[in-house]
Amino acid sequence: MGELVVAKGQATRQANKERRKKKILSVARSLIADEGFDALTISQLAVRSGVTIPTVHNLFGKKNDIVLEMFRQLVHRVDSELAEPELIDPIAASEVLLDNLLALYGADEDFYRAAFMGGERLGLFEHELNDGVFRKSILVAEKLCDRARKGGYLHGRIDSRWLAQQLFGCQRLARQDWVNGYIDIQTYRQQALIGMLLTFAADATPDLHQRICEKVVLLAE
């Protein structure tokens, strides 16, 4: 009986902990969207979340840990979408990848613009970070490449790791232009998708190569 009570108590504490974390992340998101990245401070998070500063530190760590957690969730959502078995065709998969990203960004453009600016300043996209956004995004792109190769769409002459880095680079360059206000979100999609398709064309089988050329012409019109 005593073990059961202890187990229930632990489960309750864990549930409360998760609720506090979700609350803090929600407040962090609102702060960034409404007031900009610099408004996100541990003290403001604590006040607006109704917790103490030590609680925020204990649950997350520092400010950059909170921002990194936001991006981890984003990459996880995209990864989940790419796990669908029907996403084998590189053209369709590229479109789904970008449409998922842009659906997220488009739902709250102010937040994502400010968050990406802050993320760059904190170095969350540095290549050498083992748990950083860059590496996680590269893994998503590698899955896309491996699936396309196994499906007979790519020759496999170019290592998936190199293709994945180029795919991510195309998306990242367009995202930076969007974050800085140089292009709108639809132009972001156009530029990123064309770049991704041209990357696939470098290793594409003849049928896919022809389809990519036709798609790029349509996108560029």
Side-chain angles (χ1 to χ4, degrees):
M1 187 67 176
E3 292 181 357
L4 180 59
V5 172
V6 171
K8 287 184 177 179
Q10 291 176 339
T12 299
R13 285 192 293 273
Q14 184 61 33
N16 289 336
K17 178 180 178 180
E18 291 303 316
R19 279 196 294 270
R20 285 195 296 270
K21 290 181 70 172
K22 288 181 180 179
K23 172 67 173 178
I24 291 169
L25 285 175
S26 177
V27 170
R29 182 188 181 97
S30 297
L31 272 169
I32 291 174
D34 298 339
E35 302 176 36
F37 185 77
D38 290 331
L40 178 61
T41 64
I42 298 298
S43 59
Q44 278 297 309
L45 276 178
V47 169
R48 301 194 187 195
S49 302
V51 300
T52 65
I53 290 177
T55 296
V56 177
H57 284 302
N58 290 336
L59 291 174
F60 290 100
K62 299 179 180 179
K63 175 178 175 175
N64 61 330
D65 296 313
I66 295 170
V67 179
L68 183 56
E69 179 61 26
M70 292 180 180
F71 285 110
R72 280 174 176 157
Q73 292 180 4
L74 169 62
V75 174
H76 176 71
R77 289 183 64 180
V78 176
D79 193 17
S80 297
E81 292 294 335
L82 286 177
E84 295 298 323
E86 66 267 25
L87 297 178
I88 301 174
D89 185 310
I91 296 177
S94 297
E95 290 186 297
V96 169
L97 169 62
L98 285 172
D99 288 342
N100 274 297
L101 285 172
L102 300 187
L104 290 172
Y105 301 164
D108 197 346
E109 291 196 45
D110 290 339
F111 164 72
Y112 283 106
R113 278 198 171 105
F116 275 116
M117 285 183 180
E120 290 284 359
R121 283 165 48 188
L122 292 176
L124 298 184
F125 307 119
E126 295 299 326
H127 297 200
E128 64 269 17
L129 294 178
N130 290 328
D131 62 346
V133 173
F134 178 86
R135 287 191 181 275
K136 289 182 178 293
S137 298
I138 289 295
L139 289 176
V140 171
E142 282 187 25
K143 286 183 180 180
L144 193 157
C145 294
D146 289 338
R147 192 176 294 129
R149 177 179 52 79
K150 291 176 182 177
Y153 292 95
L154 300 179
H155 288 294
R157 296 168 181 167
I158 301 176
D159 194 296
S160 292
R161 291 174 296 177
W162 288 106
L163 286 177
Q165 289 188 31
Q166 294 303 312
L167 290 172
F168 177 69
C170 295
Q171 192 275 130
R172 183 176 182 179
L173 181 60
R175 187 192 69 217
Q176 287 176 328
D177 284 347
W178 169 72
V179 165
N180 288 296
Y182 301 141
I183 60 176
D184 60 23
I185 206 161
Q186 289 305 315
T187 305
Y188 173 170
R189 183 185 189 277
Q190 178 195 43
Q191 291 185 5
L193 185 55
I194 288 176
M196 293 175 71
L197 294 180
L198 291 178
T199 297
F200 276 122
D203 195 44
T205 54
D207 179 65
L208 177 63
H209 193 280
Q210 178 62 34
R211 290 172 53 224
I212 287 175
C213 291
E214 294 171 357
K215 184 71 174 182
V216 168
V217 169
L218 289 175
L219 288 168
E221 289 181 348

